[in-house]
Amino acid sequence: MAGASLRVIICDKYAISRFGLLTILASRPDVEVIETTDSGVHAIMLARKHHPEVVVTGLALGGLSGLELIQRLRAEKLDPEPRVVVFTMDHTDQTVTEVLRAGANGLLTQDSTQDEVIAVIRAAGRGQTMLSPLVTQRLVDWFRQREPPPAEPQPTLAGLTPREQQVLLLVAQGRSTEEVAGELYIGVSTVRTHLHRLRAKLKAKDRAQLVSFAYRSGLMST
């Protein structure tokens, strides 16, 4: 419904974390905190009862972990399915990976500002996934530092004789063995010998792979 508040449940083992998040969210007119809890099991019960758009959870909970809570909420098939934002002080690479794989739609850290907390939760409410700037920057740095995959070597014609190149070009143009023989004024058996040698040199299993090589090597554009 237009103008309706974003309905949120907060769950974390530690009261100071719950109170801090509640204080931030309670000051926003477009966000309604339905309830807070320190129990993962209770959070599931609250989600069944109130159908929140967003559940903000820590990883340490009573009864089950935050990761288990994410998985359980996804299995509940609630309508709407609550989006989950994780608030954690442990944002190691392993934790970030586990949280994202579990299906979290947002990740906040102890360094997140009030505006960042609101932005991530609102994004989750819109069905988007957003991470805190600190985590985003680490992911970008990781991506940039990755070794690029080795480039596939460009196939060359250097190992082929002029006649083999002629045969390959005609085959790539769709000529049959008999047509190649007629165009080059050689016997059909000779064409077959050239094709055999081409497949051996290019490690091609069939005519289709020969055609592929002809295009990738630039032979078709010469």
Side-chain angles (χ1 to χ4, degrees), residues 27-208:
S27 64
R28 309 291 169 146
D30 61 333
V31 178
E32 176 190 358
V33 178
I34 300 170
E35 198 162 344
T36 68
T37 179
D38 63 355
S39 164
V41 174
H42 189 211
I44 293 173
M45 295 172 62
L46 290 173
R48 290 171 179 169
K49 179 179 179 181
H50 297 290
H51 297 271
E53 284 87 16
V54 179
V55 173
V56 184
T57 182
L59 293 178
L61 301 172
L64 46 84
S65 71
L67 293 176
E68 291 172 324
L69 173 60
I70 298 172
Q71 295 164 345
R72 290 278 297 274
L73 285 174
R74 294 181 69 186
E76 286 287 321
K77 306 296 184 184
L78 298 175
D79 185 21
E81 179 179 342
R83 312 281 287 183
V84 180
V85 172
V86 171
F87 176 79
T88 177
M89 296 189 180
D90 172 20
H91 48 85
T92 61
D93 291 348
Q94 179 178 352
T95 299
V96 172
T97 300
E98 290 176 345
V99 165
L100 294 179
R101 282 181 175 169
N105 308 108
L107 181 58
L108 296 165
T109 70
Q110 77 273 19
D111 299 314
S112 300
T113 66
Q114 292 189 25
D115 288 342
E116 289 165 1
V117 170
I118 294 296
V120 170
I121 292 174
R122 283 174 175 163
R126 294 192 299 269
Q128 302 169 348
T129 296
M130 185 175 179
L131 309 177
S132 73
L134 176 65
V135 175
T136 300
Q137 186 60 53
R138 283 175 51 197
L139 290 175
V140 170
D141 291 342
W142 169 81
F143 180 81
R144 287 174 176 168
Q145 292 167 6
R146 291 179 64 198
E147 289 291 333
E152 183 178 347
Q154 187 71 15
T156 67
L157 303 169
L160 304 183
T161 67
R163 178 62 85 187
E164 288 169 346
Q165 292 185 36
Q166 289 177 322
V167 171
L168 179 59
L169 176 60
L170 292 172
V171 168
Q173 291 173 346
R175 306 292 208 285
S176 67
T177 302
E178 291 75 14
E179 288 172 334
V180 173
E183 190 150 343
L184 296 180
Y185 301 102
I186 57 178
V188 171
S189 60
T190 303
V191 174
R192 288 174 178 157
T193 299
H194 285 309
L195 290 174
H196 176 77
R197 288 175 179 169
L198 282 168
R199 286 194 293 268
K201 286 183 177 181
L202 304 179
K203 296 181 173 57
K205 295 180 180 179
D206 51 31
R207 189 174 283 240

